[in-house]
Amino acid sequence: MLVERGSDIGPGITCEGLSRIFGTGAARIDALAPTDLQLDGGRTTAFVGPSGCGKSTLLRLIAGLDPPSAGRVRIGAETPLEMRRRAGLSVAFQDAALLPWRSVRGNIALARKLARMTPDPAKVDDLIATVGLAGFEDRRPADLSGGMRQRAAIARCLATDPQLLLLDEPFGAVDELTRARLNQELPALWQARGVTAVMITHSISEAVRIADRVVVLSPRPARVVADIAVPLPHPREKGPALDALIEEVGAALARHAPAPPPARIAS
Amino acid sequence: MILSPARWRRPRTDWLRSIATALVALIAWEALARALAGTYLIAGPLEIASYLSDHAGLILRATGWTALAAAGGYVIGNLTAIALAAVAILIPGAARLISSLALIVFCLPLVATGPILRVLWGPGLGPQVTLAALAVYFTTFLPLQVGLRAAPPNWFDLVRSYGRGGWTALVEVRAMAALPYLIAGLQIAAPAAFLGALVGEFTGAERGMGVLTIRAMRSLDVAGTWSLATIAAAVSMLAHAGIGWLWRRLDDAPPPLILASLPDARTDRRWATRLNLILVVLVVIALWWLSMEFAGLNRFFAKRPDDIWAFLVTASGAADHRTTLFAALGQTLSLALPGYALGLALGLGLAIALLMLPALARAIMPLAVALRAIPIVITAPLVVVAMGRGATGTITITAVMTFFPTFIACYQGLKRTPAALIDLFESYAATRWERLTLVQFPAMLPAFFSAARMAVPAAILATTTAEWLATGHGIGGLMALTASTSDYGMLWSSVVLLALVAVAAYAAIERIERAVLRRYGAEQLVR
């Protein structure tokens, strides 16, 4: 379903025959097998899959940060480049990608500067409070823990009011307790506004907790092996319905798990 | 090679230790001078102090003139380096051409360029300023090139994810990431500018320290020569330390030196390398020829490429010219090569020795960092006076010139081994020798090779300066002779030949570096 620009709901994403191959000859790596995908606007889709399967590659192709080897991506009616040029999307990178010489506040404000938006200190401070970094506004990334850095990166993502959020393991370095809290609070921030979100995670429970749809990818080259809708209302509490979905996603992953290497260690 | 701009905070005991070491060195110096009194070799600190107070006005004025020329060249050279590095980043296709051109200009022998600049500029500060600029721009350009690329790819993805391009990445990411590298370059450039100005003054300036140095040396004025060398060293060390201090004032929490390793994406296709070589040669010849024509310079002293070709190949006496030139070059290389190799070996050896003896290192290193700031070529007359006008003196000065940067680069490279790796080795109770050979030595290789590359023009400068000022042998002597007899064909040919030799040596070391690093540390191939 394509959503027109200017409407309240974020744009849908269409991938047609999208594939990515790195290198040539003996060094050739097929990261993503030709894939057709249709992601609804205003919804959150989670991609889960084994490590190194090509999840991040898919996200980078959607953002247009890597060129596809074949196929194309449309975000609403636009190409990824057009979308980026008008600052319609934000990417949360796996390692936070904070600039070490800028404070937390400076890093978050940078997103608005890069997006050619007017500075909005009040909004920046609001976001800092939302991700639980109040009191750390003037600290530099080197003073923060890994989890705090990722929270700053998420605040930076939201600072430009994007229509599309691309999140690459956004909570990977966050401790378990904080992660549970952020899983409850942060999705509400974008889901209430109708933002389209694409998230990559290796945590099955996180995917089922946050997303409206969970897409399971195979080991490299990544192919879609299961596509599971999560028709539960937010906020999602622990319960049999959630557990059943977690099991379903887990089973799909296990069916396509890479074969274990032959045992070679002599006892 | 990137040297850290400075050690940010040093405990007080380290300062006391350095001061104690310096005092011991001073006393030993004075004792040696007294022991050798009457041999016209060494002037001690007390003799220097009395000479300086006797000639305070003269030396102060001379220092002022030289510092003025050095400062002018410093500003021009560094601005040029920054502009070149920025263009090389913004126009990736031009990066290779710009680097090659920058290297060729860096390899021009300062000693021979001096007399030519003197003729082109006439009297005044022109040649000194130009030579100072030439002496500094490469030592800033090279670290900047690395620094501007020293950021993880994600930071650029962030910029791109908001639809912004190369200029924004340069301003928001690269400029700040490169700052520590720039400061390191600017610090090294300070003594280099002073050295360039001095060499410029050797070639016939009316005033300045270079003029006094030549005068003192010709009249075997030992106290004067040592006093001038001391002043030059002091000014250079002050400039070096001052830039470090200014930087610490500007930013008390400096961004760490990020040694991001870039994948060696540029696959070295043979045809691309050859094409680049042809392009560089054509551009150099075109720039040389066009600049002379547009400036309307007289062919008598401003030789064009075809004049050099005629002089060495087609003119009636070309065979004789070639014989003279290559004989002189052979003589120079027979001294420059052993000196260079000796300097590298001593630098590497002392760095390893000090790593094994940390207590000694803590006392010696601050002194060595300070001594690095001395434009060593100004000691050439002293060394030649001390070691004699034979081969030993010239080899010594070349070795000393190569030794200091190699030693400091190797030591800092050895120390930069990741702490986690050292911990790993500790956890297996590895011996110091295992730690050195398996971790620290490979981690040091990039630093060693970049020092070895940068030392090539420095070694040639040292040898030719010693020949020019003292021995009269080799291509340095030939250039001094041809400059005074206005034999500009031979002078220009010397410049071209020496530059070609330096570029070839630089490229050869780069090739060895790539081969070794590909084997022992592919992730360390930054360039």
Side-chain angles (χ1 to χ4, degrees), chain A residues 23-37:
Chain A
T24 53
R28 173 178 156 137
I29 293 171
D30 289 45
L32 181 68
T35 300
D36 291 306
L37 265 177

Side-chain angles (χ1 to χ4, degrees), chain A residues 60 65 84 95 113-114, chain B residues 154 157 160 162 164 172:
Chain A
R60 293 176 62 81
L65 293 174
R84 282 188 281 131
D95 72 349
K113 186 175 178 190
L114 289 175
Chain B
N154 263 356
D157 284 342
R160 288 172 61 211
Y162 290 105
R164 306 298 291 269
E172 291 293 342

Side-chain angles (χ1 to χ4, degrees), chain B residues 92-351:
Chain B
R96 220 167 155 163
L97 180 64
I98 289 177
S99 304
S100 306
L101 288 178
L103 173 64
I104 289 171
V105 177
F106 178 59
C107 285
L108 289 178
L110 290 184
V111 167
T113 323
I116 291 173
L117 288 171
R118 177 62 62 196
V119 179
L120 298 183
W121 278 98
L125 288 177
Q128 291 94 296
V129 173
T130 314
L131 280 191
L134 283 177
V136 303
Y137 86 96
F138 199 69
T139 50
T140 303
F141 174 72
L142 209 59
L144 252 187
Q145 273 221 308
V146 178
L148 286 170
R149 291 178 172 81
N154 263 356
W155 297 359
F156 301 113
D157 284 342
L158 173 72
V159 173
R160 288 172 61 211
S161 75
Y162 290 105
R164 306 298 291 269
W167 177 254
T168 309
L170 181 64
V171 173
E172 291 293 342
V173 178
R174 294 189 195 273
M176 286 300 290
L179 212 49
Y181 294 78
L182 176 64
I183 301 298
L186 291 181
Q187 267 193 312
I188 297 171
F194 208 74
L195 167 68
L198 275 177
V199 174
E201 288 168 353
F202 287 167
T203 60
E206 294 105 5
R207 43 184 171 249
M209 290 186 66
V211 180
L212 295 188
T213 304
I214 292 211
R215 209 180 288 159
M217 204 190 57
R218 297 228 163 109
S219 57
L220 280 178
D221 180 356
V222 177
T225 310
W226 277 88
S227 300
L228 289 162
T230 308
I231 289 290
V235 170
S236 299
M237 285 196 283
L238 273 178
H240 189 272
I243 292 161
W245 176 82
L246 206 67
W247 167 240
R248 286 195 294 279
R249 283 292 302 266
L250 283 175
D251 188 349
D252 60 352
L257 271 184
I258 308 147
L259 283 165
S261 43
L262 300 184
D264 193 12
R266 197 179 57 216
T267 45
D268 267 89
R269 288 198 199 87
R270 197 155 283 179
W271 63 264
T273 314
R274 287 200 184 141
L275 203 68
N276 183 62
L277 189 66
I278 294 168
L279 187 68
V280 168
V281 171
L282 288 179
V283 169
V284 167
I285 289 178
L287 282 179
W288 176 0
W289 195 79
L290 286 174
S291 60
M292 301 267 148
E293 288 299 318
F294 275 109
L297 294 172
N298 189 331
R299 257 179 194 260
F300 172 66
F301 56 82
K303 298 291 180 192
R304 318 295 202 258
D306 52 312
D307 296 326
I308 305 303
W309 179 259
F311 183 81
L312 289 178
V313 181
T314 54
S316 55
D320 289 343
H321 297 157
R322 284 201 304 271
T323 313
T324 313
L325 189 59
F326 282 105
L329 178 71
Q331 212 170 16
T332 299
L333 289 184
S334 72
L335 302 178
L337 275 175
Y340 174 74
L342 189 66
L344 285 187
L346 285 178
L348 181 61
L350 187 65

